[in-house]
């Protein structure tokens, strides 16, 4: 039984090395910009009311400019 398990593990390790092998296909890369592009505008960027669609497909109307943001997830907070 131990020989079968060790053989299976050895085959899995060999397969994992084969999956990481380099190919001759060229890798396509996208250029990374250091700063996001912001359109040139004058005055306020947004006009209220704004209607946005959430992840559940519901339309949410924001009547006036928000004064505060609340995040329930720390990764979202770090992005803000």
């Amino acid at each position: 039984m131990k020989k079968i398990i060790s053989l299976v593990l050895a085959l899995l390790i060999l397969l994992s090395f084969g999956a990481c092998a380099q190919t001759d296909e060229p890798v396509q890369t996208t250029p990374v910009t250091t700063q996001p592009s912001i359109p040139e505008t004058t005055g306020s960027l947004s006009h209220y009311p704004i209607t946005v669609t959430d992840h559940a497909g519901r339309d949410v109307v924001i009547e006036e400019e928000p004064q505060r943001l609340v995040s329930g997830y720390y990764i979202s907070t770090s992005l803000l």
Side-chain angles (χ1 to χ4, degrees):
M1 183 70 174
K2 288 184 180 182
K3 288 183 180 182
I4 294 174
I5 292 174
S6 62
L7 182 63
V8 169
L9 289 175
L11 288 174
L12 287 174
I13 290 172
L14 288 175
L15 287 174
S16 67
F17 284 133
C20 296
Q22 290 184 345
T23 62
D24 293 334
E25 298 175 13
V27 177
Q28 294 181 353
T29 59
T30 55
V32 177
T33 58
T34 56
Q35 295 179 353
S37 60
I38 300 174
E40 297 289 329
T41 59
T42 57
S44 176
L45 293 176
S46 300
H47 301 283
Y48 292 92
I50 297 175
T51 303
V52 294
T53 305
D54 64 4
H55 287 284
R58 299 173 294 207
D59 289 333
V60 178
V61 178
I62 302 173
E63 297 293 334
E64 56 189 38
E65 183 176 3
Q67 300 300 313
R68 151 179 3 157
L69 293 173
V70 178
S71 173
Y73 191 54
Y74 70 94
I75 293 177
S76 301
T77 305
S78 67
L79 291 174
L80 294 174

